[in-house]
Amino acid sequence: MYRYYALGMLALVYAVSYMDRQIISILLDDLKAEFLLTDTQLGLLSGLAFAIFYATLGLPIARLADRSNRVGIISIAAAIWSAITALTATVSSFTQLLIARIGVGVGEAGAGPASHAVISDYFEPHERPLALSLYSTGVIIGALFGLVIGGLVAENYGWRTTFVVAGVPGIFLAILVWLTVKEPPRRAAETTTGSDDDIGFFAAVAELWQNKVYRYVNIGHLLAVSFAYSFTAWMPVLFLRQWEVGQAEVGQIVGLIFFLGGLPGMIFGGVLATKLSKLDRRWEAWVSALGCFLAIPLYFYGFSSTSMMSAALILGIGGFFYQCSHGPGMAVLQNSVNPKRRAFAAAFMFFCSNLVGLGL
C-alpha cells in the first residue's frame, strides 16, 4: 500500500539524518589529530554544537509544519543538512568544523517532528506503535551505514572523503521524497486534550505540559536519551582506545551492535506493544518503560567490561531492550495530543531530550 511506501521513504530520510549526525563519532580521533583538539572540543562537536540548534530550531519549524506542507519541509531540510555534511570535507579549522556541525543541526531540525506528524496521519492510533517503530529503524540503518561505511572510507580514503560519501546520497533522497511522497490529509481530533484554535507558542507549550500523559512520556524520554546518546557518541572511541583496533573494524563492530541488537528490538517493541495494547492501551507505555529499565544496567556493565567481545555482546543486548521502548513511547505521545499540534508536540519533546541528552 502507498502509505507503507511513504513510511519507508521517511524511514530512509531518518536513516540518512542519523548517519550524517553520527558519522562524526567514528572520525573523532582523526579530527583530534588534524586540528589538535581536546576531548572537550570533540564533545562539543559531537554533542552541544549540534544539539542546541537541532533542539531549538525544531520548535519554530514544527509550528510551520503544523500549518503547512510537511513533506515539503522534510525534503528541504534533508537537502540542507546533506549538502552541509558533504561540504564539511572542505573545513580547515575547528571553528569551520563547529559551524558545519551547527548547520547540520539546523537542517535536521526540520525533518523528525514533521515526519512523526505525517506518519500519525497515515496510520490509525492502534497502528502507530508499529508504524513509528518501523520509522525509527532508520536510526539503526543510519548508524550501521555511518559506522561501517564511515569506518571503511575513513581508514582507506580519509575523513574528508567520508563526509562527502555521507552527505551526497541525502540530496538525491530529498528530491525523491519531494516528487513521490504525498502530503496526507490531517486527521480529526482523537482526544479532547487541547484547543482546536491556532494558539500562540507559549500557550501551545502550556497546553502540552498540562497534558499528564504527554508530560510523563516527555520526562521519561529525556532521561532515557541522556544515557543513550552518551553511550552512542563514545562507543566507537571506547573500542578505538581501549583495544586499539582500526577504524574499519570499530565501525563494523559498533555498527553490528546497533544492527543486530537495535533493529530486532525496535521491531519487537512495536509488535509487542501493538499486540498487548489490544488488551490494555496502557501497554504501549509499559513496553516503553520496561525496555529502558532493562537497558540501562546492561549499558553500564558493557562499558566496564575488560573483553572486547563481551562488551560488544552486552551492549548489543542493552541496545535491543532500549530500542524496544522507542516506537511505543512515540505512539503514546502522538495519540495523546491534538492533531493540529502533532509536529510541535514531537519537536518540544526533542527539544527537551536532545538539549539535555545530546548536550551532555
Side-chain angles (χ1 to χ4, degrees), residues 6-187:
L7 175 62
M9 292 299 294
L10 294 177
L12 282 176
V13 171
Y14 198 11
V16 170
S17 165
Y18 205 79
M19 177 178 68
D20 291 353
R21 185 186 314 179
Q22 288 297 123
I23 194 74
I24 198 169
S25 66
I26 199 70
L27 304 174
L28 288 177
D29 279 357
D30 285 339
L31 298 173
K32 182 176 184 176
E34 177 85 12
F35 300 112
L36 304 177
L37 305 180
T38 65
D39 280 350
T40 300
Q41 289 174 307
L42 294 178
L44 184 63
L45 291 173
S46 62
L48 192 60
F50 177 92
I52 193 168
F53 287 90
Y54 174 77
T56 55
L57 289 179
L59 295 171
I61 296 174
R63 293 274 288 174
L64 177 63
D66 280 330
R67 297 182 175 95
S68 59
N69 187 296
R70 296 162 294 183
V71 172
I73 289 174
I74 294 166
S75 302
I76 293 169
I80 290 172
W81 86 62
S82 298
I84 294 174
T85 297
L87 289 172
T88 305
T90 65
V91 302
S92 58
S93 68
F94 170 73
T95 300
Q96 293 177 358
L97 188 57
L98 183 64
I99 293 170
R101 291 301 294 169
I102 290 171
V104 172
V106 170
E108 291 194 15
S115 294
H116 278 233
V118 169
I119 292 167
S120 294
D121 281 335
Y122 267 121
F123 292 88
E124 298 287 346
H126 68 277
E127 298 175 312
R128 288 174 193 154
L130 182 56
L132 287 167
S133 293
L134 292 173
Y135 164 73
S136 299
T137 59
V139 170
I140 311 301
I141 296 168
L144 178 69
F145 277 90
L147 292 168
V148 175
I149 297 177
L152 288 170
V153 175
E155 191 167 279
N156 291 283
Y157 300 101
W159 65 268
R160 295 183 186 274
T161 302
T162 305
F163 278 116
V164 174
V165 171
V168 170
I171 299 173
F172 293 100
L173 180 61
I175 297 171
L176 189 60
V177 170
W178 178 279
L179 295 175
T180 65
V181 176
K182 300 174 184 177
E183 175 75 8
R186 297 172 197 259
R187 290 181 179 271

